[in-house]
Amino acid sequence: MHHQFARLLGLLTAFALIGTAAASPSVAHPHVVLIVVDDMGYGDPGCYNPHSKIPTPHIDRLAAEGMRFTDAHAPGPVCHPSRYGLMTGRYPFRTDVSKWPTQPLIDEGQTTIASLLREAGYATAMVGKWHLGFAEKGYDKPLPGGPVDRGFDQFFGLRASTDIAPYFYIRGDRAVSPPTKHIAANRSDAWSPIQGEFWREGGIAPDLKLDEVLPRFTEEAIEVIKRHDATKPLMLYLAYPAPHTPWLPTPAFRGKSGAGMYGDFVMMLDHEIGRVCAALDAADMARNALVVFTSDNGPVWYPRDVKRFGHDAVGGLRGMKGDAWEGGHRMPFIVRWPGRVAAGTRSDQTVCFTDLMATFAEMVGKKLPATAGPDSFSLLPVLEGRQAADKPVRGPIVMQSGSSGAMVIRSGDWKLIDQPGSGGFSESPKLQAGDPPGQLYNLRDDPAEQNNLYRKEPERVAELTRLMKQLVNAPASRSH
């Protein structure tokens, strides 16, 4: 009897050790799920704007269960620069982002958040909009330089937005079906030419319908979660191409928001995010997952839209997509990490998407190479509640606007724009004789950027100009 008991105890111990060994990699490092939406404004989610006309219960739940950042910035106020900074920890003005239609923006061998985590033992997957270029030599041929060549084990998605032809799905580095058919351009009445059901004419794959892309990406992301090997931590980058145009809410969401077809599409997007979060729960991964939610840049939402619907998509900020003003790049940014990030918390730290690389490196205990993430600062002390609120977690942020090339620096409460006007999509006020050649705002006192102090604070303008030039000209290597 004693021997039988001892044998049983030994078997139980062995099974326990096997279970521990199997679970240990995912316990050692959390799963990482990065959800980046497209052209959603700071004032769209209810957790950022109590007056929002758009119900966003699933985004709001992430905020209630995690940390909501109030001063988080995209590294550029349009799609591809923002994504370049996110992936590389490098400000996008440091490369030629204009070459994305035919060439990769990320160099071969360049560290990305995906390659960093893969080296730390993660399975890495991307679903959605890439918009960082491939080496294109025909859509019936391999497409090198994309996600699977820059750190991801698997990829399913689109080369760019759902309004930029050609339209076709890519799996790995090949078109699922080349864009052999043609689709005519489309636009909506009662909206600007770049709003509503807007898309450009061009090639389209026979198997792709624009109004099915959003739920298709959700299904692909859920499949990644379901098929994931539980012995490894997972890094999933889900890059939704919504609520970027074309705004294509399905019938279940049409007319359900208070902000027209745009608001309905945001509602649908929130629903899709809820489906992915439910899949994490069902797979028992949510309790050991760091989930980041954000948007790549501001919305296409004009002052006339605010008046028409009573919905302010930038939540009291100035400007919109493309702009050097805050509405172009100050983004909803939420981090949920059970057991590590206190639920229902808020941080007013000024941070940038480039900071995710250093954050993930510290999280997995890896030292970044000298050339990796030069503009990245770890947010881990903020997430874990160790950073004093009055002590900045990073240095100044420098970025370039979306169209005029206006340069922006944010240092502490102060923001300098080196040109007059929006620098982007918003119509700028007409210049009068004697108007200042740039803009200076104290964002603590004036978050809506209404009081230009450029003439009143010449010494501060000179100091910020000097600092901006220093950071722009800094070598592309880590100095921190």
Side-chain angles (χ1 to χ4, degrees):
M1 189 73 176
H2 174 75
H3 293 297
Q4 288 178 328
F5 178 78
R7 184 170 177 274
L8 178 61
L9 185 63
L11 285 170
L12 289 172
T13 303
F15 281 128
L17 287 172
I18 290 167
T20 303
S24 60
S26 59
V27 170
H29 298 319
H31 306 298
V32 172
V33 179
L34 176 56
I35 302 172
V36 178
V37 301
D38 199 344
D39 289 13
M40 180 187 284
Y42 186 86
D44 285 329
C47 53
Y48 278 87
N49 178 9
H51 305 293
S52 174
K53 293 289 184 71
I54 308 170
T56 54
H58 301 290
I59 297 170
D60 297 349
R61 178 191 163 194
L62 287 173
E65 294 175 351
M67 179 177 285
R68 181 173 64 90
F69 284 77
T70 64
D71 199 4
H73 296 264
V78 289
C79 302
H80 49 290
S82 176
R83 291 157 198 273
Y84 177 85
L86 173 81
M87 286 297 302
T88 65
R90 194 168 180 253
Y91 291 142
F93 64 75
R94 301 197 189 282
T95 196
D96 177 12
V97 294
S98 70
K99 67 182 183 180
W100 78 264
T102 57
Q103 298 175 57
L105 295 189
I106 302 173
D107 295 333
E108 189 173 356
Q110 187 174 350
T111 303
T112 66
I113 53 175
S115 67
L116 169 80
L117 291 177
R118 185 160 72 177
E119 287 174 11
Y122 278 72
T124 56
M126 180 184 171
V127 174
K129 169 181 170 176
W130 177 235
H131 211 162
L132 291 174
F134 297 87
E136 297 195 359
K137 296 179 180 176
Y139 301 124
D140 57 341
K141 298 178 175 64
L143 293 162
V148 294
D149 295 320
R150 299 298 185 263
F152 289 100
D153 299 324
Q154 56 179 302
F155 169 62
F156 179 87
L158 298 172
R159 65 188 282 276
S161 307
T162 39
D163 64 2
I164 298 177
Y167 310 103
F168 61 97
Y169 291 123
I170 302 165
R171 191 175 294 281
D173 64 352
R174 296 297 296 257
V176 173
S177 179
T180 54
K181 290 195 169 183
H182 185 272
I183 187 171
N186 193 66
R187 59 165 294 182
S188 296
D189 294 333
W191 293 95
S192 81
I194 57 169
Q195 290 177 296
E197 293 184 350
F198 161 71
W199 63 77
R200 296 168 180 86
E201 65 91 24
I204 189 168
D207 65 335
L208 190 146
K209 291 184 172 63
L210 292 175
D211 61 353
E212 294 177 356
V213 170
L214 185 54
R216 175 68 187 276
F217 285 163
T218 299
E219 285 151 18
E220 288 283 340
I222 290 171
E223 278 303 304
V224 168
I225 292 166
K226 282 182 175 177
R227 293 195 310 263
H228 178 62
D229 176 359
T231 64
K232 292 183 88 171
L234 171 68
M235 186 270 196
L236 169 62
Y237 171 34
L238 174 55
Y240 279 122
H244 195 293
T245 48
W247 300 339
L248 298 172
T250 53
F253 296 95
R254 287 179 202 154
K256 296 295 171 63
S257 78
M261 59 182 8
Y262 172 76
D264 299 346
F265 202 32
V266 173
M267 271 189 77
M268 179 182 173
L269 175 60
D270 180 81
H271 171 77
E272 299 300 312
I273 291 168
R275 291 177 62 196
V276 174
C277 290
L280 287 173
D281 289 335
D284 198 26
M285 290 167 64
R287 60 194 175 94
N288 186 35
L290 188 163
V291 177
V292 179
F293 165 81
T294 193
S295 172
D296 65 344
N297 50 250
V300 179
W301 196 251
Y302 295 89
R304 61 178 175 268
D305 301 320
V306 179
K307 289 178 183 175
R308 181 176 166 194
F309 294 102
H311 172 73
D312 186 355
V314 292
L317 302 175
R318 187 180 186 186
M320 63 177 186
K321 179 178 180 176
D323 290 352
W325 295 328
E326 292 293 282
H329 50 84
R330 189 187 293 212
M331 297 282 78
F333 190 90
I334 297 165
V335 180
R336 185 185 75 178
W337 190 5
R340 297 289 289 275
V341 172
T345 51
R346 154 185 166 163
S347 174
D348 298 328
Q349 286 274 353
T350 306
V351 302
C352 182
F353 293 0
T354 55
D355 298 333
L356 286 178
M357 178 169 283
T359 304
F360 294 155
E362 185 179 359
M363 179 186 78
V364 299
K366 285 188 75 72
K367 184 174 173 58
L368 285 173
T371 56
D375 305 306
S376 189
F377 296 77
S378 176
L379 305 182
L380 204 59
V382 177
L383 296 175
E384 295 183 336
R386 296 184 279 111
Q387 186 81 7
D390 60 352
K391 183 181 178 186
V393 74
R394 67 158 1 263
I397 297 171
V398 179
M399 75 176 70
Q400 194 167 30
S401 73
S403 56
S404 75
M407 294 298 295
V408 179
I409 183 168
R410 170 69 186 282
S411 181
D413 296 330
W414 293 92
K415 175 180 175 181
L416 176 72
I417 306 171
D418 73 352
Q419 296 180 18
S422 74
F425 289 16
S426 287
E427 185 176 345
S428 295
K430 290 181 180 176
L431 288 178
Q432 308 294 324
D435 280 352
Q439 301 168 73
L440 177 71
Y441 300 107
N442 183 314
L443 293 182
R444 181 190 59 199
D445 301 334
D446 179 26
E449 298 171 286
Q450 298 298 305
N451 185 21
N452 185 359
L453 302 173
Y454 192 96
R455 294 284 195 214
K456 293 182 179 177
E457 297 266 0
E459 290 182 3
R460 196 174 298 277
V461 168
E463 172 58 22
L464 289 172
T465 301
R466 183 198 65 76
L467 182 57
M468 181 160 60
K469 286 179 179 175
Q470 178 186 320
L471 290 168
V472 167
N473 295 324
S477 60
R478 293 181 62 76
S479 58
H480 56 276

